Structures are given as C-alpha cells and as structure tokens.
Amino acid sequence: MMITLVCGTAQLNFVLDLGWSHALSDGVYSFITVGLIKAFLASWIGIIIRKQLIKARDMKEKTSSAL
C-alpha cells in the first residue's frame, strides 16, 4: 500500500505538475482511511481463517488417531 501511495503521489506531482502538498492531499490523504480499513479487515479475516484451519487439523488428527 505504501509503495502505491508513494508512486501515485510522485506521479501526481510530476505529471500533473501539482505541488507536493496538493499531491499528498489528493493522492494520499483521501485513500488512507480506506486502506487502513482494508488492512484491518484482511488481518481480521486472516486470523479467523487461521483459527478454523487449526481447528480442522486438530479434528482430523483426532479422527485419524481413533482409527
């Protein structure tokens, strides 16, 4: 996410000839909130999936040891 924001800000600065403050306000500040929400959701979903995978593996080991 950081690489994309840095490259996008540089592009706004050089291609559209915006100043750094305008490039930051148009290219970074407006997307920070959405990016942080996506990062939080990805982490949260990853934790849920990891717990489910661990639970499934434990159940598989219990059923195979019973045989």
Side-chain angles (χ1 to χ4, degrees):
M1 183 171 101
M2 290 301 295
I3 293 171
T4 304
L5 291 174
V6 169
C7 291
T9 303
Q11 180 180 4
L12 285 173
N13 184 15
F14 294 119
V15 173
L16 295 180
D17 199 27
L18 293 177
W20 284 108
S21 62
H22 288 275
L24 283 171
S25 67
D26 292 345
V28 175
Y29 300 144
S30 57
F31 295 103
I32 286 285
T33 305
V34 175
L36 291 174
I37 291 170
K38 288 192 301 188
F40 171 77
L41 287 175
S43 300
W44 183 51
I45 291 169
I47 290 170
I48 291 171
I49 290 173
R50 183 176 182 272
K51 287 180 182 179
Q52 293 296 321
L53 289 172
I54 290 171
K55 183 193 281 188
R57 185 175 41 181
D58 288 343
M59 291 181 84
K60 183 180 177 182
E61 288 176 1
K62 288 179 184 177
T63 57
S64 63
S65 64
L67 296 175

